[in-house]
């Protein structure tokens, strides 16, 4: 595994996420393309919770080989249960930024981590390397989601005008 490359992308993904949302109004950040979809603010809060309660915690447990159980998480349920869309956008982005930096600091300080270390999760065996690589791709999934939300927002602003000339979506 190219740990340094994955770490670099994790850092850059954090910067990309921030850049994608930082200049939108609070109203736009709370806007949803459909009632059952997520807003940009919900994505940011989801990413902050994932940073604090999922990837870094589970990777740490796996690398330590302590056998400590992973605490249950409910990313889908947290969106409404934790009121993501009612939160302050600036504070939410700051929380994500701080959590990501804490993760990067921890990851950068690892000395000869065993990426082959295995955790027996309820769904099956997963390695520390699987978790790190999945962390990076989880970011990418939500980067794509943020772009899709923004595309839908542009469509909503464009009324009946066509976006076809911009290229096939």
């Amino acid at each position: 595994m190219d740990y340094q490359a994955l770490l670099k992308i994790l850092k850059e993904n954090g910067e990309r996420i921030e850049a994608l949302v930082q200049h939108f109004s609070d109203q736009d950040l709370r806007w949803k393309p459909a009632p059952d979809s997520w807003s940009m603010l919900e994505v940011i809060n989801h990413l902050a919770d994932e940073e604090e309660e999922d990837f870094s915690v589970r990777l740490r447990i796996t690398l330590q080989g302590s056998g400590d159980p992973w605490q249950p998480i409910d990313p889908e349920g947290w969106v409404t249960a934790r009121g993501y869309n009612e939160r302050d956008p600036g504070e939410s982005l700051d929380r994500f930024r701080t959590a990501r930096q804490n993760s990067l600091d921890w990851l950068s300080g690892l000395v000869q981590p065993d990426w082959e270390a295995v955790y027996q999760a309820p769904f099956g065996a997963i390695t520390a390397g699987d978790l790190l690589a999945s962390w990076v791709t989880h970011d990418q999934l939500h980067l794509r989601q943020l772009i899709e939300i923004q595309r839908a927002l542009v469509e909503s602003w464009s009324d009946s005008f066509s976006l076809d000339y911009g290229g096939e979506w």
Side-chain angles (χ1 to χ4, degrees):
M1 167 170 20
D2 190 340
Y3 167 67
Q4 291 301 324
L6 291 174
L7 190 61
K8 182 178 185 279
I9 292 173
L10 201 62
K11 179 182 185 300
E12 291 170 352
N13 282 348
E15 294 165 356
R16 288 180 186 108
I17 290 162
E18 184 175 350
L20 278 172
V21 301
Q22 66 184 349
H23 298 295
F24 282 93
S25 71
D26 289 6
Q27 179 182 344
D28 291 339
L29 290 170
R30 287 184 170 85
W31 181 84
K32 296 180 179 196
D36 63 341
S37 64
W38 286 14
S39 69
M40 288 184 275
L41 182 57
E42 288 170 328
V43 172
I44 294 303
N45 281 292
H46 164 75
L47 288 168
D49 279 353
E50 287 289 299
E51 202 73 24
E52 294 173 344
E53 300 179 53
D54 185 357
F55 288 102
S56 63
V57 174
R58 291 175 174 203
L59 180 55
R60 189 180 314 260
I61 289 170
T62 303
L63 286 171
Q64 289 171 346
S66 63
D68 290 346
W70 285 358
Q71 294 303 307
I73 60 172
D74 182 15
E76 294 286 327
W78 289 347
V79 175
T80 52
R82 295 183 175 183
Y84 285 171
N85 219 31
E86 288 75 47
R87 293 185 180 180
D88 179 86
E91 290 174 8
S92 297
L93 191 54
D94 285 344
R95 186 170 148 254
F96 169 71
R97 184 184 308 113
T98 299
R100 175 54 57 94
Q101 189 58 57
N102 290 342
S103 295
L104 291 168
D105 291 346
W106 172 68
L107 287 165
S108 296
L110 293 175
V111 178
Q112 297 182 329
D114 178 8
W115 297 114
E116 299 298 327
V118 175
Y119 183 84
Q120 291 299 326
F123 54 81
I126 187 167
T127 68
D130 295 333
L131 284 166
L132 181 60
S134 295
W135 194 346
V136 172
T137 60
H138 180 261
D139 275 358
Q140 292 169 334
L141 178 142
H142 289 294
L143 281 162
R144 180 178 68 197
Q145 183 183 23
L146 289 168
I147 293 290
E148 289 172 349
I149 294 167
Q150 290 176 11
R151 167 70 183 217
L153 184 59
V154 168
E155 287 175 4
S156 78
W157 291 339
S158 301
D159 299 319
S160 63
F161 293 99
S162 171
L163 306 177
D164 291 348
Y165 186 72
E168 187 176 329
W169 186 250

